[in-house]
Amino acid sequence: MKLPELPENVARLSPGESFSFLCHKEVGCFTHCCRQLELALTPYDVLRLRHATKLNSTELLRNYIIIEQNEADIFPRYYLTMVDDGQASCVFVTDAGCTVYRHRPGACRTYPMGRGVARENNRIKEFFVLLREPHCLGFAEQTDQTVSSYSKTQDLATYNHFNDMLTEIQQHQKIRNGMRLTPAQISAYKLALYDIDTFREKMTARLVDDDTSIPIETLSDEDLLTYSFRWLKDELFGSGK
């Protein structure tokens, strides 16, 4: 896999390579990384924020999420709303820390690591980087981390799992070959991946598979999101693609 060129403060990180980093309330820059940022949200991020806010997906989208799509974008992009406080602070951050910490987005969990993925020969390949921003004092903390250990402590496995499903759609061969989505397909993308409560309502009384008797309305949120990815792939690219 050919890796992209990286900025000066970003270095590739091999799986077994160690680095020193720890973030906690006593670190002088605590919550600085929660300000002056654009935080892109994946479908699983939105699912987890629903749990944190106790809102359904439609309410969450209306109150906390910005959707953007310009002419060059194949897929719409979702961002968390920032507070207009002169620092573009995350809507969920306070001086005491993150108010949705248990359900915080994957990008927050991963920082200061970054995980890149590419779809090659119908397989997902990953690579990791380390971002060293001047304001971050967490690197001075003498706590050894590796990709594996840090991913485990940040509970990233499920986030990565669902993000890989998103990659399978966004980097599908038909997309790479120049496929553009119709307005109806864009609506299906928004519905299935980001407005999951409305999607559940529309799919009520359907069975998960033709050979099962499991109704959609009985699925857990995670199982429903898995189903919605599969449903969307069929809608966009044809059955079994």
Side-chain angles (χ1 to χ4, degrees):
M1 176 175 58
K2 183 179 180 181
L3 300 180
E5 293 296 323
L6 300 174
E8 185 176 345
N9 62 337
V10 179
R12 293 188 179 92
L13 190 63
S14 61
E17 185 177 352
S18 64
F19 60 96
S20 293
F21 179 81
L22 189 65
C23 182
H24 53 83
K25 291 182 179 180
E26 282 68 47
V27 176
C29 61
F30 186 63
T31 76
H32 285 195
C33 58
C34 306
R35 310 176 196 278
Q36 300 292 346
L37 80 161
E38 286 187 339
L39 185 59
L41 298 174
T42 69
Y44 189 64
D45 290 334
V46 172
L47 184 150
R48 291 292 295 266
L49 287 174
R50 285 170 53 259
H51 294 302
T53 59
K54 309 299 183 185
L55 299 174
N56 65 41
S57 56
T58 303
E59 294 169 332
L60 184 69
L61 289 168
R62 181 172 60 246
N63 294 326
Y64 291 112
I65 296 174
I66 297 171
I67 307 173
E68 296 182 355
Q69 186 175 18
N70 58 43
E71 291 184 1
D73 294 324
I74 299 175
F75 299 96
R77 293 171 286 122
Y78 289 70
Y79 296 95
L80 187 64
T81 298
M82 297 296 152
V83 178
D84 187 14
D85 60 354
Q87 300 181 81
S89 300
C90 170
V91 69
F92 296 121
V93 72
T94 68
D95 290 339
C98 177
T99 61
V100 295
Y101 187 79
R102 180 184 172 194
H103 299 288
R104 65 197 184 282
C108 305
R109 293 169 182 267
T110 308
Y111 184 88
M113 284 198 325
R115 178 178 182 261
V117 295
R119 189 172 188 253
E120 292 185 359
N121 299 320
N122 293 323
R123 296 184 63 184
I124 297 294
K125 295 187 177 181
E126 63 182 3
F127 68 93
F128 296 90
V129 298
L130 193 64
L131 172 62
R132 292 184 178 271
E133 295 184 294
H135 67 75
C136 184
L137 304 177
F139 291 102
E141 299 293 299
Q142 298 303 306
T143 302
D144 285 339
Q145 311 279 4
T146 64
V147 169
S148 177
S149 67
Y150 195 66
S151 297
K152 185 175 182 179
T153 60
Q154 300 304 305
D155 195 23
L156 283 169
T158 305
Y159 285 81
N160 293 344
H161 170 72
F162 282 106
N163 292 348
D164 289 350
M165 290 187 187
L166 184 63
T167 298
E168 290 179 4
I169 289 176
Q170 293 186 340
Q171 296 188 24
H172 192 278
Q173 191 59 49
K174 288 188 177 181
I175 298 296
R176 290 179 170 179
N177 290 341
M179 174 182 172
R180 304 289 296 189
L181 303 189
T182 66
Q185 289 173 324
I186 292 173
S187 294
Y189 179 94
K190 292 179 175 180
L191 174 68
L193 300 189
Y194 286 93
D195 195 359
I196 198 168
D197 290 305
T198 302
F199 180 75
R200 188 191 293 273
E201 291 175 6
K202 290 182 178 294
M203 295 293 145
T204 295
R206 293 197 183 191
L207 302 182
V208 176
D209 290 300
D210 292 337
D211 58 348
T212 71
S213 57
I214 303 174
I216 295 296
E217 55 266 33
T218 66
L219 293 179
S220 68
D221 287 341
E222 286 75 12
D223 287 342
L224 179 60
L225 185 57
T226 297
Y227 173 83
S228 69
F229 271 110
R230 188 168 69 245
W231 176 87
L232 183 62
K233 284 183 70 175
D234 288 347
E235 288 291 306
L236 298 184
F237 311 121
S239 180
K241 299 296 185 181

